[in-house]
Amino acid sequence: MIVGAGVAGLTVAIALARKGWRVDVAEINPRGATAGWGLCLTGPSLRALDALGLAEACLAEGYGMNVITHVDVNGRIADEVRLPRLLGAHRPAMVGIARPALHRILSEEAVRSGAVVRHGLTVTAVDEDGDLVRVRLSDGTVRTATLVVGADGIRSSVRSLAGLETTLDYHGQMAWRALVPRPAWVTGIHQFAGEANTAGIVPISGRQAYVFLTENGVEPDALPDAELAPRLRQLLEVFPGRVAEIRPLVSGSESVVRRPVRTALLAGAWSRGNRVVIGDAAHAPAPQMASGAALAIEDGLVLAEELERHKQVRAGLEAFTARRAKRCRTLVETSVTIVGLEQARRHHEAYPLTDACHRRMAEPA
């Protein structure tokens, strides 16, 4: 039983179903609902997806790129991070992709692999029963499972029900995203340092991109939807150079979101009995490293591998955590360090840290 049909949940559903597990997935949101407009599939994401035979579909749907261009507060190029090409010299290092497109690819493959995805459901109680787990769902039904996987995000209910507590840390930043037409010059990630905030643009297809802005020094409050686009345009006004070309695109966007930058990291066990948490439920980084999806996808693949290697489920879960903990902690902690450097306006120190972390993530999962 997998709780959550996001990137982590669908990836582990595919990987386990292909290894002969009977897989049910419970997803609280209705069919077709996805959060956010786009994301980056970095090299580790593509490597894991390639192992599942899904990299080509993502390359076809998204926009391949190889470079992150950092622009300083004066509008001049300050640094370029050339990302490791983990799929070979003739394929992109990274792909920007619309969230609905990635969700469709993963959902269709999960069903083809034999997983059953049920929408409008979540878990309300989880109890160990020897080597099995009794799961009560929100529709009142009770299921018995060999394994329960919590892939239900940073506010994971499975994590709480399993007694795996952690803090959710807010870092004084609000992350803005707006879906816009892709300018012809946007062929990679462009990030612009500002006097107070950081902005940028990421291509997610031949036609679309998303503008991002990280707003510093604010409380995690909510704004009315009607105020989002005007406020984002106002925050972009102070940036010089090519941001002036991006700002008018936001005016026509009907898709603007604003979310708090929060992180979470389980310092100890990720499992209890035959219950385990993966993805953001175990390790939610800040968006600065664009690698949350990479960790989630890797988790799904590695969990299936370790369960196959071990006869006992609990031994497989312990091996999974041992294999993943240091790597995921490094990514989360690096992302938080970059948050601090942005807030201190020490952008030049963040650039080499970003490069080094991407190269470390290029190592085997």
Coordinates of all heavy atoms in Angstrom, one line a residue, residues 50 66 84-93:
D50 N 15.8 6.5 -16.6 CA 16.3 5.6 -17.7 C 16.4 4.2 -17.3 O 16.1 3.3 -18.1 CB 17.7 6.1 -18.1 CG 18.1 5.7 -19.5 OD1 17.3 5.8 -20.4 OD2 19.3 5.3 -19.6
N66 N 21.6 22.1 -20.4 CA 22.9 21.6 -19.8 C 23.6 22.6 -18.9 O 24.5 22.3 -18.2 CB 23.9 21.4 -21.0 CG 23.4 20.3 -22.0 OD1 23.1 19.2 -21.6 ND2 23.2 20.7 -23.2
P84 N 26.6 17.8 -15.1 CA 27.1 16.4 -15.6 C 26.0 15.8 -16.4 O 24.9 15.7 -16.1 CB 27.3 15.6 -14.3 CG 27.4 16.7 -13.2 CD 26.5 17.8 -13.6
R85 N 26.5 15.3 -17.6 CA 25.6 14.5 -18.5 C 25.6 13.1 -18.2 O 26.4 12.3 -18.7 CB 26.0 14.8 -20.0 CG 25.9 16.2 -20.4 CD 26.3 16.3 -21.9 NE 26.3 17.6 -22.4 CZ 25.5 18.0 -23.5 NH1 24.8 17.0 -24.1 NH2 25.5 19.2 -24.0
L86 N 24.7 12.6 -17.4 CA 24.7 11.3 -16.9 C 24.2 10.3 -17.8 O 24.3 9.0 -17.7 CB 24.0 11.2 -15.5 CG 24.5 12.1 -14.4 CD1 23.8 11.8 -13.1 CD2 26.0 12.0 -14.2
L87 N 23.5 10.7 -18.9 CA 23.0 9.8 -19.9 C 23.8 9.8 -21.2 O 23.4 9.2 -22.2 CB 21.5 10.2 -20.3 CG 20.5 10.1 -19.2 CD1 19.1 10.3 -19.7 CD2 20.6 8.8 -18.4
G88 N 25.0 10.4 -21.1 CA 25.9 10.4 -22.2 C 26.0 11.8 -22.9 O 25.1 12.6 -22.7
A89 N 27.0 11.9 -23.7 CA 27.3 13.2 -24.3 C 26.3 13.7 -25.3 O 26.2 14.9 -25.6 CB 28.7 13.1 -25.0
H90 N 25.4 12.8 -25.8 CA 24.5 13.2 -26.8 C 23.0 13.4 -26.3 O 22.1 13.6 -27.1 CB 24.4 12.2 -28.0 CG 25.8 12.1 -28.6 ND1 26.3 13.1 -29.4 CD2 26.6 11.0 -28.7 CE1 27.5 12.7 -29.8 NE2 27.7 11.4 -29.4
R91 N 22.9 13.4 -25.0 CA 21.6 13.6 -24.3 C 21.8 14.7 -23.3 O 22.8 14.9 -22.7 CB 21.1 12.3 -23.7 CG 20.8 11.2 -24.8 CD 20.8 9.9 -24.1 NE 19.4 9.4 -23.8 CZ 19.2 8.3 -23.1 NH1 20.1 7.5 -22.7 NH2 17.9 8.0 -22.9
P92 N 20.7 15.4 -23.0 CA 20.8 16.6 -22.1 C 21.2 16.2 -20.7 O 21.0 15.1 -20.3 CB 19.4 17.2 -22.1 CG 18.7 16.7 -23.4 CD 19.3 15.3 -23.6
A93 N 21.8 17.1 -20.0 CA 22.1 16.9 -18.6 C 20.9 17.0 -17.7 O 20.9 16.4 -16.6 CB 23.2 17.9 -18.2

